[in-house]
Amino acid sequence: MAVQPTDMIDRRLAEMYATKVTVNLEAKSTLSPNEFWNSMELIAMNNKALVNIRYR
C-alpha cells in the first residue's frame, strides 16, 4: 500500500464524515440508578476478589 500525504487522507475523512451524526443527544438512559449501583457493586467485588487472588 502506497503512503499518501496526510492532508489528502484528512480531506477524504472529512468528506466521509461531514454528514454523519456522531453524537446522539436525544438518548435517554433506561437504567435505573439502583441497577447502576448494583452493577458497580458487582464490579467492585470482582476487582477485590482478583486483587486478593494475585497477592496470596
Side-chain angles (χ1 to χ4, degrees):
M1 186 165 121
V3 177
Q4 298 176 344
T6 57
D7 59 334
M8 189 167 128
I9 295 170
D10 289 344
R11 231 179 292 121
R12 289 179 68 194
L13 285 172
E15 289 170 7
M16 286 172 43
Y17 289 102
T19 59
K20 303 267 189 241
V21 176
T22 57
V23 178
N24 185 1
L25 300 175
E26 304 282 326
K28 303 278 186 210
S29 177
T30 58
L31 188 65
S32 74
N34 196 28
E35 290 173 338
F36 172 77
W37 288 115
N38 286 340
S39 64
M40 289 291 108
E41 188 175 310
L42 181 63
I43 292 169
M45 285 191 312
N46 186 37
N47 288 341
K48 286 179 186 177
L50 286 174
V51 167
N52 285 335
I53 289 172
R54 289 183 188 151
Y55 290 110
R56 285 191 175 199

